[in-house]
Amino acid sequence: MRLAMISEHASPLAALGGVDAGGQNAHVAALAAELARQGHDVRVYTRRDEEDVPETVAVRGFEVVHVPAGPPSALPKDDLLPHMGAFAEWMAADWHASGMPDVAHAHFWMSGLAGVTAGRACDVPVVQTYHALGTVKRRHQGAADSSPEHRTAYERQLGRVVDRVIVQCRDEERELTGMGVPRERMTLVPSGVDLDLFRPDGPAVPRGERPRILTVGRMVERKGYAELIRALALVPDAELVVVGGPPPGRLPDDPYARRLRALAAECGVAHRVSFTGAVPVADVPRWYRSADVLAATPWYEPFGLTPLEAMACGVPVVATAVGGLTDTVVDGVTGDLVPPRDPRALAAVLRRLLADDVRRVSQGAAALDRARRVYGWPTIAGRLADVYAETAHAFADTTDVREAVA
Ligand code: UDP
C-alpha cells in the first residue's frame, strides 16, 4: 500500500524528552519504519519547523516530508491550529504530484483536521489516532490547559467523520464513547515497542549499592515526578534517577527541574535523587537495564511507552492506574498499579517490591514475556496494515455513491 502518515507537530526525526517531543514521535517513527520494512510505501508529513531542512528526508526506509505551513520555526503545538488549512492544501497538492495514497493515517487531532480536509479533496480515506484527548487534559489541567478552545468539539466531530478510529487502550475507547463517538467506528490497536532496541541483554549504566528506582519521560508536571520524590522519602536507602527533560547543559536553569530539586531538598532526599536531562533514545535501554524498577506515575496517560520499554528490558513497572497503563501493566503480575497522586500508596508498593527479590525477578520475567508476546512492532504494524486494507476496501465500495453525489 501507499501510505501517508500525518504527524503535524511530532516529527519522527525529533530528539525525544523535551516538552513537545515524546511518545507520538517515537510511535510514528517506529510504525513508519516497520510498515516500510513490511513492503509499504510510507511518507510521513510533518510541519517544517526550521529554515534549513530539505523538503524530503529519507530515513529507515520511509520518507519524512516537511510541509511548509506557518513560520519555519518551532511553535508550541497548541499554536498550530491556524496553519492546518495550509498544511492540508500543500499535502493534497503533494498527493496529486507524487501519487495518491491508499490511506492517510492521522496522528493527533490537528493532523486529523488536515487529513480529512485533504482526504475529502482527493478521495483518500482517513484513519485517526488521537494519542491524547482534550477532554482528559482539561479534566486534569483545568485552566493550565493551553489547548485551542474547541479542541474537544473537533475531536468528537473527527471521530464521526473519519473512516476509522484507532484507539490505543480501553480507557481511550471509554472516553471517546462518552464523547459521542460510536464504538463501532473504533478498532483497538495498542502502540508497539522496539524489541531490538529494548531488550534485557546489553550494556547497563553503572550504579552503586542503593536500590534504583528509575523514571523516564518528558519533564512535565503531569508525569508525577513531585509525587515520586515525596514517595522516595518513605523508601529508605533507595535512589531515584529521573531521565528526560531539557538537554543536560540546560538542566540547571530549567525552572521545573529547579522546583523538583528544591522539593527533594525539602523532603530530605536530595542526595538520593539525580537528574540526567534528555538522553538520546539509543541510550535509554542502558538506563532501564540499570534499574530495579521503573516507576511511571503520571496523573493521566493516554498510552505511555516507557512502561512497555522497561518491560521489554525485563524490568518490573510500578505505575499509576490511569489510561493506557491499566492495559499494559498487569497488576501484581508484570508490576503493580497504584492510585495516582498518592505518594504514600506509591511508597508502600515500592518498599514491598524492593524488599522482595523473588517478586521483582518474577514480575520482570512476566513483563518481558508480555512485551514480546503482545507488543512487538511487526505484530502491531501488521494489525494496523490490516485496518488500512479494510478501510481502503470499504472506502472503494462507496466510490459509486460518492461519484453520484459529486
Ligand atoms: N525518551 C527519550 N529520552 C528521554 C526521555 C524520554 O528517548 O530523555 C523517550 C522514551 O524512551 C519514550 C518517549 O520518549 O519512547 C516517551 O513516551 P511516553 O509515551 O512514555 O510519554 P509521552 O512523551 O508521549 O507523554
Side-chain angles (χ1 to χ4, degrees), residues 147-354:
S147 301
E149 195 187 341
H150 300 297
R151 174 174 176 179
T152 297
Y154 283 127
E155 287 178 335
R156 173 185 302 112
Q157 196 58 24
L158 266 180
R160 292 176 175 167
V161 301
V162 294
D163 295 276
R164 184 119 297 261
V165 174
I166 305 289
V167 288
Q168 296 193 304
C169 63
R170 289 171 299 168
D171 185 62
E172 187 183 8
E173 186 179 58
R174 270 192 299 275
E175 290 286 350
L176 281 167
T177 309
M179 282 164 56
V181 177
R183 197 180 292 265
E184 63 274 11
R185 301 183 62 79
M186 305 176 206
T187 304
L188 193 147
V189 184
S191 188
V193 63
D194 183 343
L195 296 174
D196 295 326
L197 180 62
F198 297 102
R199 46 189 307 138
D201 50 321
V205 175
R207 50 172 282 181
E209 291 296 309
R210 290 188 191 284
R212 177 172 284 178
I213 303 165
L214 177 73
T215 190
V216 178
R218 290 177 298 128
M219 202 179 270
V220 291
E221 200 173 13
R222 67 118 170 144
K223 292 285 181 182
Y225 298 132
E227 288 82 353
L228 203 44
I229 288 170
R230 289 186 200 283
L232 187 69
L234 305 173
V235 187
D237 296 334
E239 66 168 348
L240 170 66
V241 180
V242 182
V243 168
R250 295 219 314 267
L251 198 61
D253 296 328
D254 182 75
Y256 186 51
R258 291 170 88 133
R259 261 164 56 207
L260 290 177
R261 279 190 207 280
L263 177 67
E266 201 181 293
C267 296
V269 294
H271 60 296
R272 296 197 275 130
V273 183
S274 52
F275 297 89
T276 68
V279 166
V281 69
D283 292 338
V284 175
R286 298 166 184 259
W287 284 100
Y288 289 127
R289 290 186 202 114
S290 78
D292 291 295
V293 54
L294 179 85
T297 56
W299 303 347
Y300 66 95
E301 189 62 84
F303 183 75
L305 282 177
T306 59
L308 264 190
E309 294 170 350
M311 288 164 69
C313 292
V315 176
V317 178
V318 167
T320 46
V322 296
L325 307 184
T326 57
D327 282 6
T328 41
V329 176
V330 182
D331 194 20
V333 178
T334 67
D336 290 296
L337 292 173
V338 292
R341 307 181 78 162
D342 186 343
R344 279 186 179 280
L346 176 59
V349 164
L350 286 168
R351 276 199 309 270
R352 180 178 64 181
L353 193 62
L354 292 175

Side-chain angles (χ1 to χ4, degrees), residues 9 11 14 46-51 53 66-67 71-75:
H9 72 277
S11 168
T46 192
R47 200 184 74 85
R48 177 178 157 208
D49 65 0
E50 45 182 324
E51 287 277 2
V53 281
H66 291 114
V67 178
S73 56
L75 289 179

Side-chain angles (χ1 to χ4, degrees), residues 54-66:
E55 185 172 289
T56 305
V57 178
V59 56
R60 297 170 70 187
F62 64 93
E63 284 185 316
V64 179
V65 185
H66 291 114

